[in-house]
Amino acid sequence: VMSTALLRRFPTFDQILPVFAVIAFLAYGRSIYIFLFKLPAWLTFLTVGEILSVLAYGLVVNLLESLLILVCLLAICISLPVRWFRDVFVPRGTWLALASLLSILVYFRRYASLGPDYLSALPIWSLTTLGLAALAAFLGGRIRFLRAAASALADRMTIFLFLFIPASLISLAVVIVRNIF
């Protein structure tokens, strides 16, 4: 009885998948961009097998990272009232993921250019991100245009899972084989 009540607090798979697609698009997109940026230099001193191994490890990390972020969103979902988050999981989850992950990407970009001194800005940056992400999630579930935009974006991102998931599963097999043998 307790587990049934807990399961009813979760969104459906049809609601989870588009939000996962948004998360995965940002995570994989960042890694693919960095991989392609570094590829010309790697071609000078790494073999093709080593380069593909680097890609495989990156894809596995992206899969785990995306799943961890999704689990965090699901934890938020089951801890909040059903009407507030589960019933509008796609728009609120999408806006929360977008605001949070884009903020992290911007922070790391600024950190890369300004160096370790920028670490002092992390607490303020984190609190600001938390507030803006909560605001984006709140408005994203309330304003019809933002709900529609998030749902449309999330639905369109789902197509990328047909590339990311198989590539990640193949990469996971490669990583397991490389570490066992």
Side-chain angles (χ1 to χ4, degrees):
V1 175
M2 178 71 152
S3 63
T4 306
L6 185 62
L7 285 176
R8 281 194 305 240
R9 297 186 66 79
F10 277 99
T12 65
F13 182 75
D14 292 340
Q15 293 171 308
I16 294 172
L17 194 65
V19 175
F20 178 70
V22 170
I23 295 166
F25 181 80
L26 291 170
Y28 283 83
R30 179 200 72 226
S31 290
I32 292 169
Y33 173 78
I34 292 169
F35 176 82
L36 292 175
F37 181 78
K38 294 180 178 183
L39 182 62
W42 287 341
L43 287 172
T44 62
F45 64 90
L46 293 177
T47 65
V48 173
E50 292 169 333
I51 292 171
L52 291 176
S53 293
V54 169
L55 179 62
Y57 278 93
L59 292 177
V60 170
V61 167
N62 289 144
L63 177 63
L64 296 175
E65 178 183 44
S66 299
L67 289 172
L68 179 64
I69 294 167
L70 180 65
V71 165
C72 290
L73 286 177
L74 291 173
I76 292 169
C77 183
I78 64 170
S79 64
L80 292 174
V82 171
R83 282 188 17 233
W84 198 85
F85 204 75
R86 190 202 68 185
D87 291 348
V88 284
F89 185 74
V90 173
R92 286 202 168 145
T94 297
W95 285 114
L96 192 58
L98 281 173
S100 302
L101 295 176
L102 289 175
S103 176
I104 291 170
L105 291 175
V106 170
Y107 179 82
F108 283 140
R109 182 71 170 173
R110 303 240 338 140
Y111 178 81
S113 63
L114 299 176
D117 293 336
Y118 199 63
L119 273 176
S120 62
L122 184 59
I124 299 293
W125 191 282
S126 298
L127 289 174
T128 304
T129 296
L130 184 63
L132 290 176
L135 180 65
F138 176 75
L139 294 177
R142 289 272 200 203
I143 299 173
R144 180 173 290 147
F145 168 74
L146 294 177
R147 285 176 81 163
S151 296
L153 177 69
D155 285 341
R156 283 170 178 76
M157 296 286 177
T158 305
I159 191 75
F160 289 104
L161 293 179
F162 288 102
L163 298 172
F164 297 151
I165 300 300
S168 295
L169 294 177
I170 292 168
S171 296
L172 181 61
V174 168
V175 167
I176 290 170
V177 168
R178 283 186 52 89
N179 285 301
I180 291 178
F181 301 109

